[in-house]
Amino acid sequence: MAMRGWPFIKLLPQKTNFHFVKYARFAAVLSVVLCVASIVACFVPGLNMGIDFRGGASMEVSKPAGQAIELDRVREAVNSLNLGDVQVQGIARRDTTVDDVSTAILRFQVPEGRDQTQVVNQVETAISQTVGEVQYSGVSVVGSKVSGELFTSGLLALGVAIGLMFLYIWFRFEPQFGFGAVIGLLHDVVLTFGLIVLFRLEFSLNMVAAILTVIGYSMNDTVVVFDRLRENLRKYKTMPLREVIDLSLNETLSRTIITGVTAVMVLAALAIFGGEALFGFSIALMFGIIIGTYSSIYVGAPIILLWGVKRGALADDAKPIKLGMASRP
């Protein structure tokens, strides 16, 4: 018995005939403007560095079950110590019968030259004297030197990931494919940084993981498009290159939409129910998936059109692959 498909798939046309290349110039201008604006925004006003990269401490402060914690009093207690930026976020515990906030996540900076352990102890003492009996958990402290090293390592990880992706596409296809893929990846990364600055999302190690995931997703989508493009270049040897690109993009459009919408739905649920720690991560990933799809269509493919493709070189790859006793047509 045949498996019944997802009913919403029927809403997607089985065959499309969009002229993507026709609007490539307009899309290129838009991408350049947004990328320049994102790069400038990374310096002015700059990234909202989290505790991981700025240095500081974070802890969870909670009251016994059934008791509410006063967030304003917690904030006042820590501010009285003159530690700089203080962030207090309340979390309602689901194991209680009251709607009041019983747990708070506290983040604060540790001033230069101050002993980290001593500062944490002072914060705990000040909160206990102001709020009363509370419990502390999840205490983590990151020094400024370590945070600087983490920031450098995070940027290095992004650079290495993009470099390895370029090498893979270069050997998998041709140099122009690799160049188009890398430009698309840089486009996605730069615009994701712009989103982080625009919405003042906290740039932490979680955000680095989100950007690395965006790179992987964007590359996967690009490989699918490039693979179909290479197949059509072999199949339609006399068709103009711009028409082959449009044909390849239309043939992979349905798969791209289904994959992207599914991932965005999951990430939307994660952003809503995952809490503050995963909100920025989810938003960055959702934006990266959308912009990654855009870059596969309007960044990577148009670069191949500008560079051109030697179709004779692709014909050598069309030989059948032997699989045991049989050969693949």
Side-chain angles (χ1 to χ4, degrees), residues 134-153:
V134 292
Q135 298 176 348
Y136 303 97
S137 60
V139 180
S140 61
V141 181
V142 180
S144 57
K145 181 179 180 180
V146 175
S147 62
E149 294 175 353
L150 288 174
F151 182 72
T152 303
S153 299

Side-chain angles (χ1 to χ4, degrees), residues 64-69 91-102:
Q67 299 182 24
I69 187 170
I91 301 176
R93 290 198 332 202
R94 298 181 180 179
D95 58 346
T96 63
T97 57
V98 296
D99 296 330
D100 295 325
V101 174
S102 57

